[in-house]
Amino acid sequence: MPSSPRPTPRTNRRKAFEPAQDAMRDCGVYVNGHRLPGQFDHRSALEEVRNRGEGFVWLSLSRPNAVQMDAIAEEYGLHELTVEDALTQRQRPKVEIHDDHMVFVIRSVHYNPDGTEEDENEKINTGQLLMVLGRNYIITIRMGMAREALSILGERVAEDPELIQPGPAGVLWAITDYLVDDYLRTVQQLEELVEDMEDDVFEPGYITEIEDIYILKREILEMRHAIDPLTTALRSIMAMRGQLMPKSVRRYLSDVLDHQLVAADMAQGFDERLSALIDAAAVKIQLQQNTDMRTISAYAAILAVPTALAGIYGMNFDRMPELHWEYGYYIVLLIMAGIVAFLVWLLRRNKWL
């Protein structure tokens, strides 16, 4: 059988591509934690590092398209699967190791108590940050809310260059540390919200809205999808050996993993508490409905007696006993009042009213 033609590599596609600068948000050369002055693009930055024999490139991209990623991949020698990962949104946190570089996907979590403009019930937003780590470069590709983390990290690096002293691995650690700390800030805010919902559900006389509990549970589930898989990814990075991941950075990542596990455990606890809260709210609503039906039945029983007496004496017959009594009307009213009073006493004693 004739062999099937091999697919054309991405790096050999047509050269008439859009400039990669359209997706570039920042590009800098760092030596000993300090950024070199001047402006660089993805080519000139890498040439500068190679000529110096020290330092690394930090290239920041935002939502690149396939043609732009092909240009970056050709210059930095990225694997075809790395390019595919860079173009895929809403991935689970993961680590993929290739011959000379590593791909690390992490998700950002942002809590907005007022919701978004499109949907006020969407209180937790997630973004994606993909990091390609090489020996003398790191490429960060952000999607969604992750842009805020990079801007804040850039300010921290300018104030404290020692954060990225270990090189590209130091940038990976600093970004991951900030995002995981953001997980902790988010779960602390959610803890107050969950406790308020618990107080409301068990408050006597409060009308429970199960819909609000379910919406929060859905949002926390979205957050768990972003946080939980990071445990395996961080452990994979900590198990790496070689120049890409120095021992000092692996030690820092151990502390990041501890914080991530705390956030994951708290998010799981919220999920379980909200599940129990939905069940409790449903039982409370059912009990309230039963109480309401019992109260309605009690009032119906109270009104049945005077209604029956009024119906009997309202019949149009000429010959009926007591019709011509002088005090018959008052006696019947007194009997009605006595029976109603007795029923009210009896029903309250049995806690139907």
Side-chain angles (χ1 to χ4, degrees):
M1 294 179 62
S3 59
S4 59
R6 298 179 61 185
T8 303
R10 290 180 179 270
T11 55
N12 293 332
R13 290 179 182 174
R14 58 187 177 87
K15 298 298 182 180
F17 51 80
E18 298 177 16
Q21 285 84 348
D22 290 347
M24 193 180 305
R25 294 298 174 264
D26 189 30
C27 183
V29 176
Y30 292 81
V31 177
N32 295 325
H34 296 274
R35 180 168 179 159
L36 298 183
Q39 295 183 349
F40 298 90
D41 60 17
H42 65 288
R43 290 191 182 91
S44 61
L46 193 58
E47 291 175 357
E48 179 71 21
V49 170
R50 288 171 177 170
N51 293 335
R52 285 177 170 270
E54 62 178 350
F56 68 93
V57 177
W58 183 357
L59 175 61
S60 178
L61 305 176
S62 176
R63 298 183 181 275
N65 58 34
V67 179
Q68 293 165 343
M69 275 306 303
D70 284 344
I72 301 294
E74 184 175 10
E75 189 69 29
Y76 287 79
L78 304 182
H79 195 277
E80 185 173 353
L81 294 177
T82 300
V83 177
E84 292 183 359
D85 284 335
L87 300 175
T88 304
Q89 300 186 27
R90 301 189 67 81
Q91 300 184 74
R92 289 166 58 90
K94 66 176 183 177
V95 172
E96 291 184 358
I97 301 175
H98 300 287
D99 293 336
D100 58 349
H101 65 275
M102 177 191 75
V103 177
F104 176 45
V105 178
I106 186 172
R107 297 189 63 83
S108 63
V109 174
H110 178 72
Y111 174 67
N112 184 7
D114 298 326
T116 61
E117 295 181 359
E118 296 79 11
D119 186 1
E120 62 179 8
N121 292 326
E122 190 175 347
K123 301 182 183 301
I124 295 180
N125 300 344
T126 60
Q128 175 178 301
L129 184 63
L130 182 141
M131 289 177 270
V132 183
L133 185 71
R135 185 180 61 83
N136 57 359
Y137 65 85
I138 180 169
I139 303 173
T140 56
I141 304 172
R142 65 180 187 258
M143 298 179 183
M145 300 300 296
R147 63 181 179 272
E148 181 182 353
L150 289 183
S151 62
I152 294 176
L153 179 61
E155 297 174 359
R156 291 175 59 188
V157 170
E159 298 175 357
D160 186 8
E162 292 186 0
L163 284 174
I164 58 174
Q165 185 71 27
V171 177
L172 182 145
W173 162 75
I175 294 175
T176 305
D177 181 61
Y178 175 82
L179 292 178
V180 171
D181 285 345
D182 210 22
Y183 296 168
L184 291 175
R185 287 189 288 269
T186 300
V187 295
Q188 288 171 358
Q189 291 175 299
L190 290 175
E191 184 175 19
E192 297 178 0
L193 187 57
V194 171
E195 289 178 352
D196 290 341
M197 282 191 168
E198 289 177 333
D199 294 339
D200 291 340
V201 168
F202 295 104
E203 181 180 353
Y206 181 81
I207 299 177
T208 304
E209 297 289 346
I210 293 184
E211 181 181 0
D212 294 339
I213 304 175
Y214 176 78
I215 290 174
L216 181 60
K217 178 177 172 62
R218 182 194 64 188
E219 294 296 292
I220 289 179
L221 185 61
E222 173 75 13
M223 184 177 67
R224 290 191 63 190
H225 289 164
I227 295 179
D228 290 355
L230 185 59
T231 303
T232 303
L234 288 176
R235 286 173 175 166
S236 298
I237 294 177
M238 292 169 58
M240 291 179 58
R241 299 292 185 271
Q243 294 182 344
L244 287 182
M245 194 56 56
K247 183 177 180 180
S248 59
V249 176
R250 296 200 304 269
R251 188 179 299 114
Y252 288 137
L253 286 175
S254 176
D255 182 66
V256 174
L257 177 61
D258 290 339
H259 293 174
Q260 185 269 336
L261 290 174
V262 171
D265 288 343
M266 292 182 67
Q268 181 181 0
F270 296 155
D271 193 11
E272 295 174 354
R273 287 166 65 181
L274 288 175
S275 296
L277 206 57
I278 290 176
D279 295 338
V283 171
K284 181 180 178 181
I285 291 175
Q286 185 177 3
L287 291 174
Q288 184 63 45
Q289 290 176 343
N290 292 339
T291 301
D292 294 342
M293 290 301 300
R294 187 169 59 181
T295 302
I296 293 172
S297 300
Y299 281 115
I302 292 173
L303 295 176
V305 174
T307 301
L309 291 176
I312 292 173
Y313 284 95
M315 292 186 295
N316 297 322
F317 291 108
D318 291 333
R319 299 182 179 277
M320 288 182 63
E322 301 95 21
L323 283 181
H324 301 286
W325 285 7
E326 181 179 359
Y327 300 104
Y329 172 74
Y330 302 102
I331 294 175
V332 171
L333 289 181
L334 184 62
I335 292 174
M336 289 182 181
I339 295 176
V340 167
F342 172 74
L343 289 176
V344 169
W345 171 80
L346 182 62
L347 293 172
R348 284 184 175 178
R349 180 183 177 185
N350 294 326
K351 297 182 179 179
W352 278 56
L353 288 177

